[in-house]
Amino acid sequence: MAGFTVPAGVNRILIGGSAGSINQVSELLGELEPAKAPPIVLLIHLEGSAQQDRLCEVVSEMLDFSCHIARNGMRLEAGKLYTPLAEYHLLIEPETNTCRLFDDEPYSYSKPSIDLLFSSCVGPEARHTLAILLSGANKDGAQGLADLHAEGAFCAVADPELSLFPTMPASALRLSPGVRVLNPVSLRN
């Protein structure tokens, strides 16, 4: 994968992944200039709450983006990257670009859930959303990506053949065969 250009009109980027996706995040966002980026929400499944809560620290070491742990009511700002706290699902209120955290049972066997994050932006604001699903060993995110794609969002998946764990992007491609495959990243207008 290589860097990409954000499509015109995108107000938020949602990125989901699991096993094998950290390096993909670095490749994907490594050349994206924070000054030219909308807010980015990054949800990666990591084992244990300590690892999940360290995600922001790890991402800050890899990228030029200012990384923040999402809090209830926090408004997403352009050029910044946000990650959820462990053990909380993260939703985005798309009309206001604000975060909503809630503690509930795992969804799609995951907590936080990529499906819930993606599905929170379904509706009129979907066409202003770019959703990307990376490497992972489960199907979380596939249904949410399909829901967003059906609403006109810009959607893409990592190439399953080049992902360490292809289940997540392959599941998304089965549900939404028309989404773009990132190899190389081809999200140019």
Side-chain angles (χ1 to χ4, degrees):
M1 282 192 288
F4 67 95
T5 301
V6 177
V10 167
N11 293 341
R12 73 195 60 79
I13 299 173
L14 309 177
I15 301 172
S18 189
S21 63
I22 288 287
N23 288 339
Q24 290 177 322
V25 169
S26 178
E27 290 177 40
L28 184 67
L29 299 178
E31 295 178 24
L32 185 60
E33 295 178 45
K36 296 181 180 179
I40 300 170
V41 178
L42 176 64
L43 194 160
I44 295 181
H45 301 152
L46 298 170
E47 276 193 51
S49 60
Q51 290 293 339
Q52 186 70 42
D53 291 342
R54 249 192 102 244
L55 178 59
C56 214
E57 187 179 318
V58 170
V59 169
S60 291
E61 292 171 6
M62 295 183 333
L63 303 170
D64 290 334
F65 284 87
S66 169
C67 188
H68 305 271
I69 298 196
R71 307 274 185 217
N72 266 330
M74 180 181 273
R75 184 169 173 78
L76 302 177
E77 296 179 26
K80 295 182 180 179
L81 193 141
Y82 300 86
T83 63
L85 284 168
E87 302 303 318
Y88 286 91
H89 294 298
L90 172 61
L91 305 180
I92 304 302
E93 301 290 347
E95 300 84 17
T96 59
N97 244 7
T98 56
C99 301
R100 185 164 56 105
L101 297 170
F102 71 98
D103 184 11
D104 202 355
E105 295 299 314
Y107 186 87
S108 297
Y109 304 102
S110 302
K111 188 173 180 184
S113 168
I114 300 166
D115 272 327
L116 291 178
L117 171 64
F118 285 1
S119 293
S120 70
C121 291
V122 168
E125 291 292 311
R127 66 185 182 281
H128 300 293
T129 301
L130 168 59
I132 302 169
L133 196 57
L134 302 175
S135 176
N138 68 18
K139 296 178 184 179
D140 186 31
Q143 185 60 56
L145 191 85
D147 294 344
L148 274 173
H149 187 250
E151 293 285 326
F154 298 93
C155 295
V157 298
D159 187 334
E161 292 184 23
L162 298 176
S163 295
L164 288 174
F165 296 88
T167 302
M168 194 173 276
S171 297
L173 284 172
R174 279 193 292 282
L175 290 178
S176 304
V179 300
R180 295 180 183 174
V181 176
L182 302 177
N183 181 39
V185 175
S186 57
L187 294 176
R188 304 189 196 295
N189 293 334

